Amino acid sequence: MAEHDRNAEYLRRIAAGDASAMDTLIEENMPLVRSIALRFKDRGTEYEDLLQIGAIGMIKAARSFDFSYDTVFSTYAVPHIMGEIRRHLRDDGPIKVGRKTREQSLAILRARDEYVRRNGREPHITEICEALGLSAEQAATALCATAAPKSLDERLGQDEEGLSLGQLLPDPDNAVESLTDRLALRQAVATLEPLQQQILYLRYVKELSQQRTGQLLGLSQVKISREEKKILQLLRKAL
């Protein structure tokens, strides 16, 4: 069977929830990742780490691949692999993330696919941790290591006219106002339900996406979006 035919078969199995097909796809296409990673050597990140980061890009390409694109997988995967590596060098380069953390992140992504295949639903973070022998803190750290950075201009919730992340930052020149705002916000957050506090922590402290937050809490992205909007309304009313 030709390479592009094998990739197409793996992608169909991945779409059907076969996690083993993802492992095989990555293994057979690692030469592509290696060739791309070589272009970025000697830029402050070890080659082995670049391979791990490139593999994450390949996983994202496999998950988002659509046969209607009318292109072979290798062609489609190249910009995803390069983009993941470039994003790391641009945004994470000054902060060194250990190889072990990168490997844990990749293992979590694979474990998540395997869990969905077996159970037909997104796993809770504790279920992933049990499968991999990780603590919740280790899993959160590993996931944050590969999370895309947030723009300060990004709007909170789904409201295009809502507040941005940057607007929530206190004025560094007004220490009294900053302290008052922090105390008021802490009191307001304390009135939220435990689940709402968890969502707030993952979204705006750990800066995870709604989808990643939902994966960690065993909820859908739609549920996280609705809860987040409710949380912001409660905080605005409290403040």
Side-chain angles (χ1 to χ4, degrees):
M1 186 183 294
E3 179 182 343
H4 67 275
D5 292 330
R6 291 201 307 273
N7 285 339
E9 175 61 23
Y10 298 145
L11 289 166
R12 291 188 184 94
R13 288 166 54 191
I14 290 169
D18 187 347
S20 64
M22 178 72 82
D23 292 338
T24 306
L25 178 75
I26 295 172
E27 181 179 353
E28 293 196 4
N29 286 274
M30 278 308 291
L32 175 63
V33 177
R34 292 189 186 97
S35 66
I36 294 174
L38 282 171
R39 305 181 192 181
F40 298 92
K41 284 188 66 176
D42 303 321
R43 298 196 188 183
T45 299
E46 293 184 11
Y47 178 64
E48 291 299 323
D49 290 336
L50 293 176
L51 292 180
Q52 294 289 337
I53 297 164
I56 290 173
M58 181 174 290
I59 289 176
K60 293 181 177 180
R63 287 179 175 174
S64 62
F65 186 82
D66 188 329
F67 286 96
S68 66
Y69 294 145
D70 194 26
T71 185
V72 296
F73 175 69
S74 57
T75 300
Y76 177 77
V78 166
H80 286 76
I81 296 169
M82 294 186 69
E84 197 70 23
I85 293 175
R86 283 173 172 161
R87 187 180 301 113
H88 164 78
L89 294 175
R90 183 186 68 238
D91 301 318
D92 298 333
I95 302 175
K96 302 303 179 184
V97 178
R99 183 182 305 170
K100 183 178 180 180
T101 300
R102 291 288 178 186
E103 291 174 348
Q104 288 174 343
S105 178
L106 188 57
I108 290 170
L109 292 175
R110 290 176 172 173
R112 175 264 176 195
D113 287 340
E114 175 66 15
Y115 189 96
V116 171
R117 181 184 71 82
R118 291 181 177 179
N119 300 280
R121 66 173 178 84
E122 290 287 348
H124 190 275
I125 184 61
T126 56
E127 294 167 322
I128 291 291
C129 290
E130 289 176 3
L132 298 177
L134 299 174
S135 67
E137 183 179 358
Q138 287 174 316
T141 299
L143 290 172
C144 288
T146 56
K150 295 288 184 180
S151 168
L152 292 179
D153 294 325
E154 180 176 335
R155 295 295 170 183
L156 303 178
Q158 303 298 312
D159 188 354
E160 291 295 331
E161 298 182 357
L163 295 174
S164 67
L165 288 173
Q167 288 175 307
L168 292 183
L169 295 178
D171 183 356
D173 296 326
N174 192 331
V176 174
E177 180 180 348
S178 175
L179 177 60
T180 302
D181 288 344
R182 288 201 301 272
L183 290 174
L185 180 59
R186 180 177 299 178
Q187 291 174 347
V189 170
T191 65
L192 298 175
E193 297 176 359
L195 176 61
Q196 293 174 327
Q197 293 182 23
Q198 285 182 298
I199 292 173
L200 201 63
Y201 174 76
L202 292 173
R203 287 285 289 132
Y204 300 111
V205 177
K206 290 299 186 180
E207 298 185 351
L208 301 184
S209 66
Q210 289 182 346
Q211 182 177 2
R212 186 66 61 81
T213 299
Q215 291 174 0
L216 291 175
L217 298 177
L219 302 172
S220 68
Q221 185 271 331
V222 174
K223 175 66 173 177
I224 294 297
S225 177
R226 290 173 179 170
E227 285 296 322
E228 186 176 327
K229 190 171 184 179
K230 183 189 302 183
I231 291 167
L232 294 175
Q233 289 175 342
L234 290 172
L235 291 180
R236 288 193 187 103
K237 183 177 181 180
L239 297 174

